[in-house]
Structures are given as C-alpha cells and as structure tokens.
Amino acid sequence: MYGNYDGLNKAPAFDLHLGVNYWTTVNISDSDTPVTVEVIAVIAGDSAQVCLVDTGSGTPFISSLDVRPLKNSLYPMANATQGLVLLSRSNLGPTDSTAIIRYPDDKHDRIWVPESKPREWVGFTTTKKVQNIHDDKFEAPSAVMQTAVMPISPTGPIELSWDAQPSAKDPAPGYICVLHISELQDLSRRSTRQFDVTINGLISLGGKGFTPEYLRSNALFNANANAYYGFHHYNVSLNATANSNFRPILNAVEVFSVVPTAGVPTATQDVSAIMTIRGKYQVKKNWMGDPCMPKNFAWNGLSCSYAGTTSPVITGLNLSSSGMSGNVSSSFAGLKKLQYLDLSRNNLTGSIPETLSQLSLLALLDLTGNRLSGSIPSGLLKRSQDGSLTLRYGNNPDLCTNGDSCQPLKNMKSSKVAVYVVVSIAAVSVIVLLLVLLICMLRRKQGTTTRNSVRPQNESGIRHSRGGNGHSSVRLNNRRFTYADLEAMTDGFRQVIGRGGFGKVYDGFLEDGTQVAVKLRSESSDQGVHEFLAEAQTLAKIHHKNLVSLIGYCKDMEYMALVYEYMSEGALHEHLRGRESRTKRLTWRQRLRIALESAQGLEYLHKGCNPPLIHRDVKTSNILLNANMEAKIADFGLLKAFNSSGDTHVSTARVVGTRGYLAPEYIVTFQLTNKSDVFSFGVVLLEIVTGQPHILNDPDPMSIIQWVQQRLACGNIESVVDTCMRGDYDVNGVWKAADIALKCTAQTPEQRPTMADVVAQLQECLDLEAARGNVNGGFYTAESGGNPSEYSGYGTDVSTDMSQSTTAFEMEHLGRALTMSTGPSTR
Ligand SMILES: *[C@@H]1O[C@H](CO)[C@@H](O)[C@H](O)[C@H]1NC(C)=O
Ligand SMILES: *[C@@H]1O[C@H](CO)[C@@H](O)[C@H](O)[C@H]1NC(C)=O
Ligand SMILES: *[C@@H]1O[C@H](CO)[C@@H](O)[C@H](O)[C@H]1NC(C)=O
Ligand SMILES: *[C@@H]1O[C@H](CO)[C@@H](O)[C@H](O)[C@H]1NC(C)=O
C-alpha cells in the first residue's frame, strides 16, 4: 500500500521481475488500497531474486514479500517455461461474504476471496468435509469447496467473465482458468448432474458431459493458454446437458495469465565467480539480480555476450576506481570468456595471480594505479610480448616489472627450499641460511619504503565497522598520510564535493573502501597554516558522535590536508533552503533531532573537553548530515581553547566567524565566551524553525532574530514556521523551540542558557513531537533520480551509485529459508 509514504502524492507504477523474467507491472492507482500480486513459478536452482524495477514512473516500493513452497505436482501448468500470474481467486457462495479463507484452512496459504453472488446465482452449502481426490493437482481446501453456486433458473447456465489486461510488456496475454467443482448434494442413483464447460464458446473443458463426484474436489482447467491468447474478453459458461436432471454447480474459480519464464540466466560458473568478487570487494555498485539479464539491467561495468538461447556469459569487467582493496582474487580467472578486465585505480595489493594467464580470450588487462607487488606472471608476460594481450601495470610502485630486479624474489623462493632441505642435515647451515634470508628480506623492505608507495606512514590500527557506506559510526585512530596517499585516495583529486575559504574538499576512498572527504588546503587559503594545524591537533584529541571525525591528516612539504569521515547528505543549510530542500523536505521531527544532535556536539566542546573549546563558527553550513540524517558539527578551523580554567573569557585580537551569527558582545569587546557559540546556535535554531536565511532581505537586510521577534510579537507562530512543513508539527513544540532560540540570542551573555540547558529543552520538544505519534513523522521524503549534487559543506548524492534503480530482494538458499519458517504469517 502506497499510503503516500513519501508525501509526494504520486502513486508509482513499476515492473516486477522474478529472476531474469518479467513478471508483471504494478500500477498503483489508489494510495489507500493495498495491491497484492502473486506468481506461481518454478524456481531453477537454489536461489531466486525478486526485482522491483524503476521504469520512470515513480520509486518502486514493497511492504511485504511472502514465499510459499508448492509440491511439484501442484499447478502443472506452471513449468520451466511459463509461470502463472494470478488475476483472481474466488470462493463462490461463501457463508460469510466478508471472510477470506487462507491458512490454516488452506495449507498452501492461498487467499480465497469471497465472491459476492450475482442475482442469477443461488448459494449452496454443506457442513460435510470435502475430500481431495487422489492425485489432486490443486488441493483446494474443504472450507472453500463446502460452498458453491448454481443458477437460479432451472435451465440457465453459470457464466463468468473477465476482460483481458494487455500491457506494453504483454500486449496479448494468454489465460488459464481453473474451475474447482465438487458435488455437495447426495443425489439419488437415478438422477444426474451433468454439464459442459466452454470458454468463449470454443473449447469444452474436461470433455463432454462432466459429472462432479459427491464431496470430492475436482477441477476443470485448460492445461495451456494457447487457445486463449489475444481475446479482449473471456467468458466461461457452464451449461447443463440434455441428460442432466440438475443445474450446473461451481465451488471456486482461479484465473491466471501466463508469463514466459524461459529467459536464461547468466552461466552459473560466471555467476558464482562474480558473486565471489562482489562479496570479496564489497563492490559499491548497484549489483543486484542476475549479472547479465535482463539485458537492459546488466550490472554496471559488466559486458556480456548473448548468443541465442544459451546462457549469457560475462565478456568484460570494468572495476576501475571502485575502491577495491585486498589481493587480486583468483575468481577473476573463473570468468572464462573474459576479453577485458580493468582493475585500474584501486588499492589492490599482493601479487598478480598466475591463473589470470589461463583466460585465453583476454585481450586487455589493466592493473594501473594499484599497490601490487611481486612479479608479473610469465604467462601474462609472454602473451603481452606476442601481442595477444595488452597489459597495463603502470603506477604500481612495488611491482617488479623487469626480469632482473625480480631476482631477489626468485632467490628467496629457492632459499626457502634450501632451508627445508638443509634442516635435516645441519643446524649450523640453517642459521646461516636464515641470516641470508633475513638480509634479503630487509633489503626488500628498504627498497619498498623508499619508493613512493601508497602506504600510511603510521600503520596504527584502523578500525572501522563493515559495510562502510560512509555512514557507519567510525572510530579511527588518526593517521598521517603522504601527498601520494591522498592522490591515490582521491584518484588524482578527481571529484570536488565542496569548496571553502581553505580550499577544496574531494571525494576519496581508503584502501578498505571507506568513503572519506579530503580537505586540501590551497595556497591561497584564508585559513592559515597555524589554523589548519590547530584544527588537526585538536580534532585528533576529541571524539564525539556529533562532531565530524578526523580520520587522518597530511603534512607533506607544502601540502596540508585533513581527511574526514564522509557525510553523504551534505550541509544542513542545503536541506533548509538549498537544492535539497526542493526535493526533500525535512520534517519537524528530523529538524528537532538535527538541532538536538548539534547542540550535543557543542555541549561536548564546552563541557566535555579539557580545556573547554569554543567553536566560534557555528552556522548551518557547518552542520553536516550523514546518510542516516545524523547531524555532526564540522569545520573546527577557528576552534579556540580557554587556556586556564579560571578565565571567564578569552580575548582575541580580531573578530572571526560569520556575520549574522556573531554574538554582539564579541563584536564590540572582542571578548569570547562559550555563550558566543550559544548565540550562534540560537540563530541556527531559528533557521531550523523558519527555513529562512540568517539575514533576510525584507526588503532591507534584517537579521532573522529581529524578523522572528517582530512576528511573534503578534502572537502568531504560524507566520514564522517553515511552510515546507505544511503544518505537520506540534504547535507547542514549535513555540518552545522558537522560545529556546530567542533565549539563546539574548543580548547579554548572562541571559543566555548554557548548551546543557539547550540540550535538555530540545529533548523535551522532541518528546512532545514523539508523543504526537505521527506515523509520517519519521520519514524523510525523497524524490528519485536526483542529480549528483555539490554542497558547500561537502557531500555527494548517494544515489549516484544506484544509477540503475533496481531494487532486489534475494532469497539465497530458498530451500533452507523455507524449512526454517514456522508457517505463513498472518496479515
Ligand atoms: C497506470 O495507470 C494509469 C491510469 O490507469 C495510466 O494512465 C498509466 O499510464 C499507467 N502507468 C503505467 C506505467 O502503466
Ligand atoms: C460468451 O461468449 C459466447 C461466445 O462468444 C457468446 O455467445 C455469449 O453471448 C457470451 N456471453 C457473455 C455473457 O458475454
Ligand atoms: C573503465 O571505466 C573507466 C571509467 O569509467 C574508463 O575510463 C575506462 O576506459 C574503462 N575501461 C575499459 C577497458 O573500458
Ligand atoms: C588472497 O588472500 C586470501 C586470504 O588472505 C588467500 O586465501 C588467497 O589465496 C589470496 N589469493 C591470491 C591470488 O593471492
């Protein structure tokens, strides 16, 4: 059920695929009506994928997915080449016209919908159990079979009809109809009930003259849909034969359209190799469903060859600049038909596996820009020399590229053999050989470190949580990077994600795939060397979940850079007024959470640090949001410490910070206290409530504080609240938040609350909002397909990876999952 969950009021339409085959198009017409689609299909292999495909008519969504196992003998029309898509499943003549029948009455948990009785029909019911016949192909439940309909007129037929539902993908669908029939009356020996069943007057189901058995469920159905393609309208008619003393009877009906399921998935060997690769490198691309199929949804960076009816095979793989680390997996050699393999610009280490030379069709192998070591396998070298393979391996500082310098490696190998042999002969020679070995190793070590290798100078333990989408809460020890490291990390400073007075911020990846933001100081920076280093040194010491963490820094000759955790949603002001605010609207609850979290970050600086710290540049562009919309304070370049604990303020030589956010006493007296941050935070909070900039042109420049005060003087909160929230907030909570903000922006520092007070008050606002129990409150509304965007904080649209917009639900090892389930769930 769509339920307008995204607030866009635009019910989407999208396609469903089962594995590689088109299943159906879901077209939601009414936001309050649940839509259920069902397919009966044979799954080859031990896993299945259900893909929701964005076809440009809105973002696909799913509320629940149920999987039910069926015996092979059931629904024999569903086979390797066709599946059955349910159109309707009706229980006729129900005793309760509102009750659906499903599990536990139906052990297969089919949903039998009560069919309201047209005037021409009369219902008939028995309380006796209806048995399944031997070799029953449908196993209709007794509860469904115990009720039936007959025509009112003693000579009339039972007629059912449906309209064909052609779609762009399936312009002439074929249909299969299953009539479930059981005799419910104990007829005397001399009387018979006999009737013919025809569809569109053409074909009779079950031959001439069908007589149902007493209390035995039987079914009449067309085994294939061939005769029923291309009609606009179908009608099924049950007519009593001339020999019959009784009217026809019908207990239940199912109608299916058929879909071809003959699409062949990618060759299994290729699938298992690429799945291993995907798992090993945690590839951050939209790699879901089958790798090559359907054709227009082949995975990013993959080329496939499709030859007739045979399984597609992977012929090319481009994983250039994909943030991969670790060694080169031998699974690449499992892609036997590979013609090109591009692994350039990653952080791959270790040696090049010999097995790659077994790829006989490989014409291009690009390993440029990694940290590979060892020598190039002779098989590859040979093929490169005879011209059958283009081999690129530049910019791998540790790779032995010419035969002679690889000598030590070969010697080492033979030394090991020698040691092994010698051990049994004489201990003395072992020691000598070991020494030789050690010296060899030391030589090698020296050799590598003097080269310009991409390796942190301080290898101190990096810990990070797995799955690094950049929003996992990272706790890292700071490390020092060289300029070359930064180059590798950012792929040569390719993507700028933000700009500031200090220089540019670039998108980057650590060798473990963690996404980072690299802030490189430019020569013309406003931020002095001193401030830059101050930020690095302070940040190295402080850790709080609401402060952007520093992962490392670089001071390499004239180059200076800070490496931060990646905040994918960019700066708060973009969400209030910028590009983001047009497509995504922050709810009141989200705003309160952001305010509370920022306040907690500041409270930590003021209270949790020794000496206490003053941020000095609190503003909406310095509050960044991660993928979970958690707020963190950024930009500590102006951070100032109280040097001695007795001081009530620090005096600064000049006023720094941003106009409109500066506390009045600071501008006038140059005296700085933590209440200056409180003032700036008050301005931020006003922006959060109103969605207005900190300085309005209304028409003359006016501070947001004045603007709000003037309007609230008339007692009208609605006139200041951001209209983007469309009145969806608790009025008391908004009043309270505005009140906190105005107290924070009081003229004298003494009148302002502390950040600890602010945190407590905002928590109360959030509780008020939570108590309101708004079901939509927690949603962040988003429109699909946003362009990659740039923020003046930093950040980039997370959806860039998701260019194919396919959502896949994979049920690996279907068999096991099913035996684990305890039975159908109730709705
Ligand atoms: C969904 O249904 C509406 C109304 O029936 C129709 O206008 C629209 O084209 C359909 N969309 C798709 C993708 O089939
Ligand atoms: C059903 O189809 C037959 C044959 O096409 C036709 O004679 C009959 O009138 C149809 N009945 C209805 C209700 O459409
Ligand atoms: C792989 O992709 C990168 C960038 O997307 C491109 O520059 C490169 O040429 C591609 N490699 C091959 C072998 O197509
Ligand atoms: C890569 O590393 C794994 C685990 O460290 C190891 O099992 C595998 O043999 C290595 N593969 C190659 C080709 O070096």
Side-chain angles (χ1 to χ4, degrees), residues 649-650 652 655 661-680 744-752:
H649 67 265
V650 254
T652 59
V655 172
Y661 289 98
L662 294 175
E665 76 280 0
Y666 177 46
I667 302 175
V668 176
T669 66
F670 289 15
Q671 289 192 351
L672 189 69
T673 67
N674 53 19
K675 293 292 180 73
S676 325
D677 278 354
V678 174
F679 183 94
S680 314
C744 289
T745 51
Q747 278 297 305
T748 59
E750 298 74 38
Q751 289 173 296
R752 295 175 208 147

Side-chain angles (χ1 to χ4, degrees), residues 159-161 198-202 233-237:
E159 286 190 325
L160 310 157
S161 68
T198 55
I199 300 182
N200 283 4
L202 282 177
H233 182 81
Y234 292 83
N235 75 39
V236 179
S237 186

Side-chain angles (χ1 to χ4, degrees), residues 478 527 530-544 547-550 553 562 564 604-605 609-615 635-642:
N478 295 297
Q527 192 175 4
H530 179 75
E531 281 151 343
F532 207 87
L533 289 178
E535 180 168 3
Q537 278 158 9
T538 314
L539 277 182
K541 282 178 257 161
I542 57 178
H543 298 283
H544 187 268
L547 303 178
V548 171
S549 354
L550 184 73
Y553 67 103
L562 296 176
Y564 289 102
Y604 173 78
L605 290 179
C609 297
N610 187 16
L613 299 167
I614 306 174
H615 186 281
D635 204 334
F636 304 92
L638 300 179
L639 207 66
K640 190 90 187 162
F642 281 111

Side-chain angles (χ1 to χ4, degrees), residues 407-667:
Q407 223 49 45
L409 194 78
K410 283 187 187 145
N411 285 350
M412 257 174 69
K413 273 189 185 148
S414 45
S415 308
K416 266 185 195 157
V417 176
V419 171
Y420 183 71
V421 176
V422 170
V423 167
S424 57
I425 306 170
V428 180
S429 43
V430 174
I431 291 165
V432 173
L433 277 166
L434 279 177
L435 278 176
V436 171
L437 246 181
L438 265 175
I439 290 162
C440 282
M441 283 172 145
L442 280 174
R443 284 247 171 84
R444 272 188 55 73
K445 264 233 160 108
Q446 274 167 3
T448 59
T449 44
T450 48
R451 279 182 223 179
N452 195 8
S453 71
V454 186
R455 184 172 295 148
Q457 294 179 357
N458 162 13
E459 294 260 25
S460 72
I462 293 293
R463 278 173 290 152
H464 71 107
S465 49
R466 265 264 150 236
N469 285 330
H471 64 260
S472 48
S473 58
V474 270
R475 225 199 77 73
L476 299 133
N477 298 328
N478 295 297
R479 46 192 279 205
R480 185 166 177 180
F481 297 100
T482 62
Y483 185 70
D485 293 338
L486 300 182
E487 254 179 336
M489 221 182 266
T490 57
D491 194 10
F493 301 100
R494 250 211 320 205
Q495 200 188 350
V496 177
I497 54 174
R499 286 186 176 83
F502 50 82
K504 291 178 185 163
V505 179
Y506 300 89
D507 188 17
F509 286 94
L510 296 186
E511 60 275 58
D512 64 6
T514 309
Q515 199 169 4
V516 293
V518 178
K519 173 172 156 181
L520 184 68
R521 180 180 170 270
S522 76
E523 307 242 5
S524 57
S525 165
D526 303 347
Q527 192 175 4
V529 176
H530 179 75
E531 281 151 343
F532 207 87
L533 289 178
E535 180 168 3
Q537 278 158 9
T538 314
L539 277 182
K541 282 178 257 161
I542 57 178
H543 298 283
H544 187 268
K545 70 178 172 56
N546 301 120
L547 303 178
V548 171
S549 354
L550 184 73
I551 288 169
Y553 67 103
C554 163
K555 185 175 179 314
D556 189 351
M557 294 175 298
E558 76 273 27
Y559 299 110
M560 269 176 245
L562 296 176
V563 179
Y564 289 102
E565 75 177 295
Y566 186 76
M567 300 290 285
S568 63
E569 288 296 317
L572 172 59
H573 78 112
E574 286 289 346
H575 289 260
L576 291 172
R577 290 180 301 281
R579 191 199 305 249
E580 289 299 295
S581 65
R582 266 171 256 142
T583 51
K584 303 175 177 182
R585 288 185 306 274
L586 289 175
T587 64
W588 177 234
R589 188 183 298 196
Q590 284 177 316
R591 287 169 201 240
L592 278 176
R593 225 185 78 186
I594 290 166
L596 176 65
E597 287 168 349
S598 326
Q600 284 168 337
L602 286 177
E603 186 200 5
Y604 173 78
L605 290 179
H606 294 176
K607 276 277 166 61
C609 297
N610 187 16
L613 299 167
I614 306 174
H615 186 281
R616 293 207 291 175
D617 203 9
V618 177
K619 54 181 175 181
T620 45
S621 54
N622 280 343
I623 294 174
L624 304 186
L625 302 171
N626 69 11
N628 294 335
M629 297 302 286
E630 286 161 351
K632 301 189 185 212
I633 308 260
D635 204 334
F636 304 92
L638 300 179
L639 207 66
K640 190 90 187 162
F642 281 111
N643 289 327
S644 78
S645 53
D647 285 354
T648 53
H649 67 265
V650 254
S651 291
T652 59
R654 62 192 174 105
V655 172
V656 294
T658 305
R659 197 170 73 92
Y661 289 98
L662 294 175
E665 76 280 0
Y666 177 46
I667 302 175

Side-chain angles (χ1 to χ4, degrees), residues 317-321 340-342 344-345 364 366 392 494:
L317 182 53
N318 189 347
L319 284 170
S320 174
S321 307
Y340 71 86
L341 177 58
D342 189 342
S344 60
R345 292 178 199 87
L364 170 67
D366 194 341
R392 298 189 190 130
R494 250 211 320 205

